[in-house]
Amino acid sequence: HKEYRRQRQMCIRDSYGAYDASIVVHFGLGAALGAAMYIASPRGWILAWMAAHLLLGLALYLMPRWHAGLPLDQTPLWARRHARTVTLVSLATATAPWLFISRGDLPATSVLTVVIIGSCARAMQLLWPLKPALHGYTLPMMLSLIGALAWQGDGMHLFLSIFSLAYLLFTLRVGQQQHRLLTDSLVLRFENEALAERLGEQIAAAERASIEKTRFLATASHDLRQPLHAIALFGAALENEHPQSRNAQRLMRAVNALGSSLDTMLDVSRLDAGVVEPVLEPVSLDALLRALNPMFSAQAEQRQLQLRLRASGLWVRSDPRLLHRMLSNLLDNALKYTARGGVAVRARVRPGGHGQGDAVWIEVVDSGIGIAPAQLERVFEEFYQVDNPGRERSHGLGIGLAIVRRLSRLLGHPVQLRSRVGRGTRFRLVLPRCDAPVAPEPWAVRAEALTAPTAPVSGRILLIDDDAEIRAAMTALLRAHGIDLQAVAGEAEAAALLASGPASFRALLCDYRLANGDNGLDVGQRLRARFALEAPLLLVTGETAPERLQRVRASGVPVLFKPV
């Protein structure tokens, strides 16, 4: 019903588009016709007709008319009003043929016939959007002309009458065709608008669902990380006390497996939050593949698969850590979905076009189960897995390729996918080629620095965490390593300890989410400012919400993600 009113509104808008000009032209021609007739035969009734005709035109010109600001529900009312208005105009003009047509005055008859037919032609162009208005204007005027011409009875007037009738029928047919075309086009337009509106609603719903999903994952991840963090700490302390205990070792393997799954979800949250910033530098693909080989060779051997990582001597410009993550996810995915044959990683140079430099294609090719065409885009969605309806844990969480897609956008390395069901799959990364640097690779130097022995911590560490179990676990673990840990639940207790001797504390360790809505970042910064602490602040958190990750990153304070 609303769409019908909108359609009628568009028709009224088109009909009213030339309302003023039509009124002026129509009644101006009527006045000119009356003046010509009066000059040819001065009679008082002609002046009376002219005056009545002009007064009617003035009234119609001054009367209220439709405009775009009127409510939509008034559209049918204005459509009927417009049809009545033009019908009244036509009835007023319909008196002219009976007053001015006569058998002995053929010039006056011809002029009047031309004027009326011209008015109907003009009306057909303006009024065909509204069929009642078109009929109301053309029928009274033309039927009056046809009748007055036929009434004269001679051959010339009968010919003009038949010609006028044919013209009327032709005009009505063309007008109805134009009206139908307009109606169909408006219906199609409103249907398209309705489809676009529904599509917009679905997109908004999908965006809301994505936001809710992110919020749910962040909350679920935090709530799972809290007890897992305590379990990991107690397990590490137990393993230190009983290093030969197989149960302690099994416990830590299970904790590490669960922590790895949670870290995968954390990676998605960090990428969505925009807190991962790539550091682009020259990367040796051979060195990168050498680092990947020991990670996956055992997995390939266990599954009786061949793993080939082909040396190329090529260098690319990328972030080595993030590129390593992309390739490891692709390799892990390929091995999981390959039952026989193997997986190969190869790199080759492709000349760049349009003045661009050479590109390097890194391809991960497997002989696995393949991916159906309908699933090629879906495999990059979170938690979507091919041929794993039972969510078998050995196939992972279904997030690896989602991370690959996000990293490809972050680094500007397009991912291309080609697959045949039952024959295998090929993932291709397209990277910019670069020359090898003279100095050692920066990331290799950083890797060596990370393996260097560290000095033992002397002095006390202050831990702020509102979870009693985590305080007990952290105390047991760190004291087993000879670290003097003082654990408190909140800012007030921490302030009391610092007041007795702030200089003795070498570091401040804070959980991010504390009781009563406090967070470790604000609490730690307040304590450092209040007691002029030079001790560094370190955050430990299970948070994965994008907005909180952004705030932590903006602070510049280092952070460890639970389980630690």
Side-chain angles (χ1 to χ4, degrees):
H1 187 59
K2 179 181 178 181
E3 298 305 324
Y4 172 77
R5 288 183 175 180
R6 291 182 63 194
Q7 173 189 334
R8 300 287 288 176
Q9 187 183 56
M10 298 292 289
C11 293
I12 292 176
R13 185 199 66 183
D14 293 340
S15 298
Y16 269 94
Y19 181 87
D20 292 345
S22 299
I23 292 293
V24 171
V25 170
H26 180 86
F27 289 96
L29 286 175
L33 177 65
M37 293 300 177
Y38 183 80
I39 293 173
S41 177
R43 280 175 274 185
W45 61 266
I46 296 178
L47 293 177
W49 182 87
M50 288 176 58
H53 206 66
L54 290 174
L55 286 174
L56 176 61
L58 181 61
L60 294 176
Y61 186 83
L62 297 177
M63 70 181 294
R65 65 197 68 181
W66 177 90
H67 57 84
L70 291 171
L72 185 63
D73 57 3
Q74 294 185 8
T75 298
L77 173 64
W78 281 97
R80 292 192 297 270
R81 180 178 296 181
H82 189 55
R84 290 195 297 266
T85 299
V86 297
T87 302
L88 179 62
V89 172
S90 182
L91 290 172
T93 308
T95 59
W98 296 98
L99 294 175
F100 299 123
I101 290 178
S102 63
R103 184 180 297 182
D105 193 355
L106 191 58
T109 300
S110 300
V111 169
L112 185 59
T113 302
V114 170
V115 169
I116 291 178
I117 289 178
S119 296
C120 289
R122 175 65 174 166
M124 192 271 289
Q125 296 176 354
L126 295 176
L127 298 176
W128 55 262
L130 288 174
K131 190 186 295 184
L134 175 65
H135 291 166
Y137 186 83
T138 55
L139 287 176
M141 195 185 320
M142 288 297 296
L143 291 177
S144 175
L145 175 64
I146 292 167
L149 290 171
W151 182 261
Q152 301 304 316
D154 62 286
M156 179 57 69
H157 285 85
L158 286 175
F159 170 77
L160 291 175
S161 176
I162 294 172
F163 174 80
S164 299
L165 178 62
Y167 179 79
L168 174 62
L169 296 175
F170 173 78
T171 299
L172 292 177
R173 179 178 177 81
V174 172
Q176 289 176 351
Q177 290 176 345
Q178 294 292 334
H179 177 79
R180 189 179 303 111
L181 287 174
L182 175 65
T183 302
D184 292 344
S185 65
L186 288 176
V187 168
L188 182 60
R189 171 184 171 180
F190 292 140
E191 287 178 350
N192 290 337
E193 289 180 356
L195 287 174
E197 184 177 354
R198 286 197 293 271
L199 178 60
E201 292 173 353
Q202 292 175 356
I203 291 175
E207 290 176 349
R208 288 194 301 271
S210 178
I211 293 172
E212 290 298 323
K213 178 203 69 177
T214 301
R215 185 180 295 114
F216 168 77
L217 285 177
T219 302
S221 177
H222 178 272
D223 293 345
L224 288 173
R225 286 172 183 275
Q226 284 294 103
L228 181 61
H229 181 54
I231 294 172
L233 296 173
F234 282 124
L238 182 63
E239 194 175 30
N240 287 336
E241 294 174 3
H242 306 282
Q244 303 302 320
S245 173
R246 297 184 63 185
N247 287 335
Q249 294 173 1
R250 290 169 180 166
L251 172 64
M252 291 311 297
R253 281 200 298 269
V255 169
N256 291 335
L258 182 54
S260 177
S261 298
L262 291 173
D263 286 341
T264 302
M265 288 193 289
L266 173 63
D267 287 339
V268 174
S269 295
R270 294 178 67 214
L271 289 169
D272 288 342
V275 300
V276 178
E277 284 193 359
V279 180
L280 302 181
E281 57 191 55
V283 179
S284 168
L285 291 184
D286 290 350
L288 193 62
L289 294 183
R290 283 197 301 270
L292 288 169
N293 184 62
M295 294 177 58
F296 295 99
S297 57
Q299 182 180 348
E301 185 178 352
Q302 183 181 8
R303 298 176 62 89
Q304 297 182 344
L305 300 173
Q306 293 183 348
L307 177 61
R308 297 178 180 177
L309 307 178
R310 300 179 183 177
S312 62
L314 295 173
W315 287 71
V316 295
R317 186 165 185 81
S318 182
D319 183 306
R321 179 174 53 88
L322 300 181
L323 180 58
H324 181 277
R325 182 61 186 274
M326 291 181 73
L327 290 175
S328 63
N329 281 10
L330 291 175
L331 271 170
D332 184 62
N333 184 77
L335 290 171
K336 285 175 180 175
Y337 288 95
T338 302
R340 58 181 178 273
V343 178
V345 181
R346 60 197 182 204
R348 50 183 169 153
V349 179
R350 301 297 295 179
H354 306 288
Q356 297 180 350
D358 293 343
V360 174
W361 286 0
I362 304 177
E363 296 179 334
V364 179
V365 185
D366 66 62
S367 57
I369 62 174
I371 305 170
Q375 296 176 311
L376 289 178
E377 281 299 318
R378 295 206 62 191
V379 296
F380 292 102
E381 298 176 3
E382 298 93 335
F383 309 112
Y384 184 83
Q385 294 179 318
V386 176
D387 196 25
N388 188 23
R391 303 295 299 177
E392 184 182 347
R393 194 178 65 180
S394 63
H395 286 193
L397 295 174
I399 302 181
L401 293 183
I403 293 176
V404 169
R405 170 64 63 87
R406 285 169 166 83
L407 289 176
S408 75
R409 293 171 178 167
L410 180 66
L411 295 170
H413 302 339
V415 180
Q416 301 172 2
L417 170 59
R418 186 175 179 180
S419 184
R420 295 179 63 183
V421 177
R423 299 291 296 274
T425 302
R426 182 197 69 197
F427 285 91
R428 175 186 294 161
L429 304 181
V430 182
L431 293 83
R433 184 185 181 186
C434 71
D435 296 328
V438 177
E441 300 169 60
W443 65 279
V445 174
R446 289 199 299 270
E448 293 175 1
L450 289 174
T451 60
T454 58
V457 177
S458 60
R460 293 191 296 172
I461 303 292
L462 177 58
L463 169 67
I464 305 175
D465 197 306
D466 60 334
D467 191 308
E469 293 294 328
I470 291 179
R471 291 199 303 273
M474 286 285 284
T475 301
L477 177 63
L478 295 185
R479 286 183 177 174
H481 287 278
I483 296 174
D484 183 9
L485 181 73
Q486 300 292 320
V488 296
E491 184 177 2
E493 297 173 70
L497 276 176
L498 290 171
S500 63
S504 63
F505 287 96
R506 300 298 302 276
L508 187 58
L509 192 61
C510 293
D511 183 26
Y512 183 80
R513 185 185 292 188
L514 299 174
N516 302 320
D518 279 339
N519 67 79
L521 178 61
D522 292 341
V523 169
Q525 290 176 338
R526 284 198 298 265
L527 290 174
R528 293 183 70 196
R530 177 179 173 184
F531 294 98
L533 282 177
E534 296 182 359
L537 171 63
L538 174 65
L539 294 177
V540 181
T541 184
E543 289 286 355
T544 58
E547 63 276 5
R548 294 193 176 97
L549 293 178
Q550 289 172 341
R551 185 167 185 267
V552 171
R553 177 185 172 276
S555 71
V557 175
V559 58
L560 297 177
F561 291 95
K562 298 177 182 179
V564 176

